[in-house]
Amino acid sequence: MRSLNRKPLSRLVREQLAGRGGLNEVLTYPWSADHLLAACGVDKGATVRIDGAPAPDRDSLRPALVPNLLEAVADNLRYRKEVAVFEVGEVFPDATRLPYGGSGEELPAQTTALGIALAGTDGVALFRRVKGLLELVRRHCHLVELTLSGEPVVGWADPSARLAASAGGVAVGALGLVRPRVCRAAGIVGVLVACAELRLAGLDAHRSRENAYAALPELPESDFDLSVVVADAVPWEAVESVALRSHGLVTAATYMGEYSGSWVPSGHRSLTLRITLRPKGSTLTAADIGAAREAVLAALADGAGARLR
């Protein structure tokens, strides 16, 4: 039974992205332009076609949100240099028809999707922000399953910066920088664009049903920063995982930033992380913090091939 005060996931996503995420919500048309579908690698023959289309090249119901969001980004870039928008709406993934209720009528299959589009000049920052926004959705919409890893099967994402999104081992979407040719097809020039799209139906089953109480620490926590040189092939998730397992007092490892070039060896980056320690039973001493620091460094060297800068 659904609780009376349980908000739909689509509403929670809107509230979090508009409030905490600082994005503007947009509403695009339910049909897509042929040239944008083709640029994003969508087969027009597999789309749901409509009669009385607003234009001959817009007779396909949108199979995804990204093509329309790119069009919205292009329109808004006429008035500003950066754009950060999202949309939650219905999409028609393919031409499959399903029975509607008990009427005996068949209607095209549809599902609710979330789309995010950011435009700016720093591709790395855009990609990280999109990834962070999906992490924000996972955390503040209380999703117990949302993994960002692996290669997605989408035509718009650039191979240099893309990740698949899955929940419970099932693919639910993708994020990444948009290919330059796709941006050009949308009329976007002079900036880079990062997008993400998730099927919310694949996430709704993974919402937390329980709230767990966690007491605030009675003793003050302590933290310190480390800057280590690590290979580009080692992802942040691996560094974080190693740091969290390195010592019993470590409760958090926070990404602070990174630097490449100049004195940093080719194929490597200087990564700065903040380690948070939570005391157990007594206030932390300088010796406790020093021992934890050495343990973290040793673990990062063994588990991630990192060395102190």
Side-chain angles (χ1 to χ4, degrees), residues 18 49 56 58 132 172 177 205 266 303 309:
R49 310 291 280 277
R58 294 176 184 263
V172 295
L177 289 178
S266 177
R309 191 176 78 184

Side-chain angles (χ1 to χ4, degrees), residues 82-174:
E82 296 182 348
V83 175
V85 297
F86 78 95
E87 181 173 14
V88 175
E90 297 300 304
V91 297
F92 303 81
D94 51 49
T96 303
R97 302 181 73 86
L98 300 174
Y100 178 72
S103 65
E105 183 181 5
E106 290 188 340
L107 295 177
Q110 58 182 310
T111 188
T112 304
L114 159 67
I116 298 173
L118 309 178
T121 56
D122 188 336
V124 174
L126 291 172
F127 181 81
R128 289 176 179 163
R129 187 181 178 193
V130 158
K131 187 172 183 288
L133 288 167
L134 295 189
E135 294 287 357
L136 179 151
V137 168
R138 180 195 61 78
R139 178 178 181 183
H140 293 286
C141 294
H142 310 293
L143 301 174
V144 294
E145 282 283 348
L146 178 57
T147 303
L148 306 177
S149 178
E151 292 289 318
V153 184
V154 289
W156 53 264
D158 194 288
S160 66
R162 61 183 180 183
L163 288 172
S166 61
V170 178
V172 295

Side-chain angles (χ1 to χ4, degrees), residues 12-14 16-18 20-26 28 40 62 64-73 83-89 91 113-119 125-138 141 143 146 148 156-157 165 172-178 188 192-200 203:
L12 285 176
V13 167
R14 286 185 171 100
Q16 296 304 323
L17 290 179
R20 295 179 187 272
L23 304 187
N24 293 309
E25 184 175 9
V26 297
T28 65
C40 291
R62 60 187 184 191
L65 293 177
V66 166
N68 289 22
L69 284 175
L70 291 176
E71 195 168 33
V73 167
V83 175
V85 297
F86 78 95
E87 181 173 14
V88 175
V91 297
L114 159 67
I116 298 173
L118 309 178
L126 291 172
F127 181 81
R128 289 176 179 163
R129 187 181 178 193
V130 158
K131 187 172 183 288
L133 288 167
L134 295 189
E135 294 287 357
L136 179 151
V137 168
R138 180 195 61 78
C141 294
L143 301 174
L146 178 57
L148 306 177
W156 53 264
V172 295
L175 70 146
L177 289 178
V178 178
I188 299 172
L192 299 173
V193 181
C195 286
E197 182 158 351
L198 299 179
R199 301 293 166 85
L200 296 186
L203 298 174

Side-chain angles (χ1 to χ4, degrees), residues 178-251:
V178 178
R179 292 174 183 265
R181 63 171 178 79
V182 178
C183 286
R184 289 194 297 270
I188 299 172
V189 293
V191 298
L192 299 173
V193 181
C195 286
E197 182 158 351
L198 299 179
R199 301 293 166 85
L200 296 186
L203 298 174
D204 199 44
H206 300 284
R207 297 172 66 185
S208 172
R209 264 69 173 181
E210 299 178 358
N211 292 324
Y213 168 75
L216 294 174
E218 297 181 357
L219 299 171
E221 296 179 335
S222 181
D223 56 45
F224 56 86
D225 291 353
L226 290 175
S227 291
V228 295
V229 176
V230 64
D232 290 337
V234 179
W236 161 251
E237 289 82 1
V239 174
E240 180 187 31
S241 177
V242 169
L244 290 174
R245 299 195 309 268
S246 63
H247 193 277
L249 295 179
V250 176
T251 59

Side-chain angles (χ1 to χ4, degrees), residues 23-78:
L23 304 187
N24 293 309
E25 184 175 9
V26 297
L27 297 175
T28 65
Y29 291 113
W31 49 76
S32 295
D34 288 352
H35 71 284
L36 291 177
L37 293 178
C40 291
V42 177
D43 178 13
K44 180 178 174 65
T47 62
V48 179
R49 310 291 280 277
I50 56 176
D51 292 330
D57 65 337
R58 294 176 184 263
D59 62 347
S60 292
L61 290 179
R62 60 187 184 191
L65 293 177
V66 166
N68 289 22
L69 284 175
L70 291 176
E71 195 168 33
V73 167
D75 289 339
N76 281 276
L77 283 172
R78 292 182 295 175

